[in-house]
């Protein structure tokens, strides 16, 4: 049997929320792929063979035959266009734009949360001290936006599941899994996303000791 033409480069600890996003998208699409880890602490992402594949020298990077692409939302958008049998974005153009908006926002804003609640909280169970005032403000912004997006307590952001649900659930779980205060309906939403088999496949990967 031929090996998959798709290869996904991820971090060796499996803690990158962006690598997770692509991994989940590939699983949702039922695509065969190989996973290759890079030890970011020893700067393997700067090795010559990887920098030839990854313009940004970051994970995730997807290799599809002779094509390589970095940056997670660019990868998941590419996968939806190249492998459209099962989609991970909403079909409606306006809803799809909203999903991309959520992804872009979660990647570019809320820095205090990402700094004070690293994904070691999510995937290694680390506990962190109380949020700083700046992180408290960011958390309130996240909660307010999530409540607006999920008004009426739907199962998913945009009617049916999309990859944006995973990205939002990860950000919420940075707070939830540390024991920070998050409204019950958002906790329930994040828990629903977490039980998805594609998400559990990432959560249950064997991680090296820190």
């Amino acid at each position: 049997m031929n090996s998959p033409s798709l290869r996904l480069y991820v971090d060796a600890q499996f803690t990158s929320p962006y690598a997770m996003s692509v991994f989940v998208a590939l699983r949702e699409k039922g695509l065969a792929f190989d996973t290759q880890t890079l030890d970011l602490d020893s700067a393997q992402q700067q090795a010559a063979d990887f920098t030839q594949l990854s313009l940004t020298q970051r994970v995730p990077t997807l290799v599809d035959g002779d094509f390589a692409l970095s940056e997670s939302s660019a990868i998941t958008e590419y996968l939806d266009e190249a492998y459209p049998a099962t989609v991970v974005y909403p079909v409606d153009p306006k809803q799809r734009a909203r999903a991309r908006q959520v992804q872009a926002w979660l990647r570019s804003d809320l820095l205090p949360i990402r700094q004070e609640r690293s994904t070691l909280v999510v995937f290694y169970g680390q506990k962190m001290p109380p949020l700083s005032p700046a992180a408290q403000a960011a958390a309130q912004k996240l909660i307010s936006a999530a409540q607006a997006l999920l008004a009426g307590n739907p199962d998913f952001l945009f009617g049916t599941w999309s990859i944006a649900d995973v990205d939002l659930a990860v950000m919420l779980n940075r707070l939830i899994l540390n024991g920070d205060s998050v409204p019950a309906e958002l906790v329930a939403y994040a828990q629903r996303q977490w039980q998805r088999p594609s998400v559990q496949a990432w959560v249950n990967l064997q991680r090296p000791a820190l």
Side-chain angles (χ1 to χ4, degrees), residues 5 34-35 41 46 52 71 91 102 155 189:
S5 66
D34 290 327
T35 304
D41 291 335
Q46 296 173 9
Q52 292 174 1
E71 303 305 309
V91 173
V102 168
D155 285 344
Y189 164 81

Short mmCIF file of all heavy atoms in Angstrom, two decimals, residues 5 34-35 41 46 52 71 91 102 155 189:
data_model
loop_
_atom_site.label_atom_id
_atom_site.label_comp_id
_atom_site.label_asym_id
_atom_site.label_seq_id
_atom_site.Cartn_x
_atom_site.Cartn_y
_atom_site.Cartn_z
N SER A 5 0.27 10.74 0.62
CA SER A 5 1.02 11.85 0.04
C SER A 5 1.00 13.06 0.96
O SER A 5 1.77 14.00 0.77
CB SER A 5 0.43 12.24 -1.32
OG SER A 5 -0.88 12.76 -1.17
N ASP A 34 0.63 11.26 7.21
CA ASP A 34 1.69 10.96 8.17
C ASP A 34 1.93 12.19 9.03
O ASP A 34 1.87 13.33 8.55
CB ASP A 34 2.99 10.60 7.45
CG ASP A 34 2.92 9.26 6.74
OD1 ASP A 34 2.23 8.36 7.25
OD2 ASP A 34 3.55 9.11 5.68
N THR A 35 2.21 11.96 10.30
CA THR A 35 2.54 13.05 11.22
C THR A 35 4.01 12.99 11.55
O THR A 35 4.53 11.92 11.89
CB THR A 35 1.71 12.94 12.52
OG1 THR A 35 0.32 12.92 12.19
CG2 THR A 35 2.00 14.11 13.44
N ASP A 41 11.96 23.25 20.92
CA ASP A 41 12.90 23.71 21.93
C ASP A 41 14.35 23.59 21.46
O ASP A 41 15.22 24.35 21.90
CB ASP A 41 12.72 22.94 23.23
CG ASP A 41 11.40 23.26 23.92
OD1 ASP A 41 10.88 24.38 23.69
OD2 ASP A 41 10.90 22.41 24.67
N GLN A 46 14.21 25.23 12.43
CA GLN A 46 15.16 26.06 11.70
C GLN A 46 16.17 25.24 10.91
O GLN A 46 17.06 25.80 10.26
CB GLN A 46 15.88 26.99 12.67
CG GLN A 46 14.95 27.98 13.35
CD GLN A 46 15.62 28.79 14.45
OE1 GLN A 46 16.84 28.74 14.61
NE2 GLN A 46 14.84 29.52 15.22
N GLN A 52 13.28 24.67 3.88
CA GLN A 52 12.97 24.58 2.45
C GLN A 52 11.49 24.28 2.22
O GLN A 52 10.95 24.60 1.15
CB GLN A 52 13.84 23.50 1.80
CG GLN A 52 15.32 23.87 1.75
CD GLN A 52 16.19 22.73 1.23
OE1 GLN A 52 15.69 21.67 0.88
NE2 GLN A 52 17.49 22.96 1.17
N GLU A 71 1.07 27.83 8.11
CA GLU A 71 0.02 28.67 8.70
C GLU A 71 -1.31 27.93 8.66
O GLU A 71 -1.86 27.62 7.61
CB GLU A 71 -0.07 30.05 8.05
CG GLU A 71 1.23 30.84 8.11
CD GLU A 71 1.79 30.97 9.53
OE1 GLU A 71 1.05 31.39 10.45
OE2 GLU A 71 2.97 30.65 9.73
N VAL A 91 -20.67 26.07 4.28
CA VAL A 91 -20.86 26.16 2.83
C VAL A 91 -21.31 27.56 2.43
O VAL A 91 -20.86 28.10 1.41
CB VAL A 91 -21.88 25.10 2.36
CG1 VAL A 91 -22.22 25.27 0.88
CG2 VAL A 91 -21.33 23.69 2.63
N VAL A 102 -13.50 34.34 12.94
CA VAL A 102 -13.24 33.79 14.27
C VAL A 102 -11.82 33.25 14.34
O VAL A 102 -11.07 33.51 15.30
CB VAL A 102 -14.27 32.69 14.62
CG1 VAL A 102 -13.83 31.90 15.85
CG2 VAL A 102 -15.64 33.30 14.83
N ASP A 155 -25.40 24.03 19.34
CA ASP A 155 -24.30 23.08 19.47
C ASP A 155 -23.03 23.60 18.82
O ASP A 155 -21.92 23.31 19.28
CB ASP A 155 -24.68 21.74 18.84
CG ASP A 155 -25.67 20.95 19.69
OD1 ASP A 155 -25.82 21.28 20.89
OD2 ASP A 155 -26.29 20.01 19.16
N TYR A 189 -20.40 24.09 25.91
CA TYR A 189 -20.04 24.16 24.49
C TYR A 189 -18.64 23.59 24.26
O TYR A 189 -18.43 22.76 23.36
CB TYR A 189 -20.12 25.61 24.01
CG TYR A 189 -19.42 25.85 22.70
CD1 TYR A 189 -20.02 25.53 21.49
CD2 TYR A 189 -18.13 26.38 22.67
CE1 TYR A 189 -19.37 25.74 20.28
CE2 TYR A 189 -17.46 26.60 21.47
CZ TYR A 189 -18.08 26.28 20.28
OH TYR A 189 -17.42 26.47 19.09
#
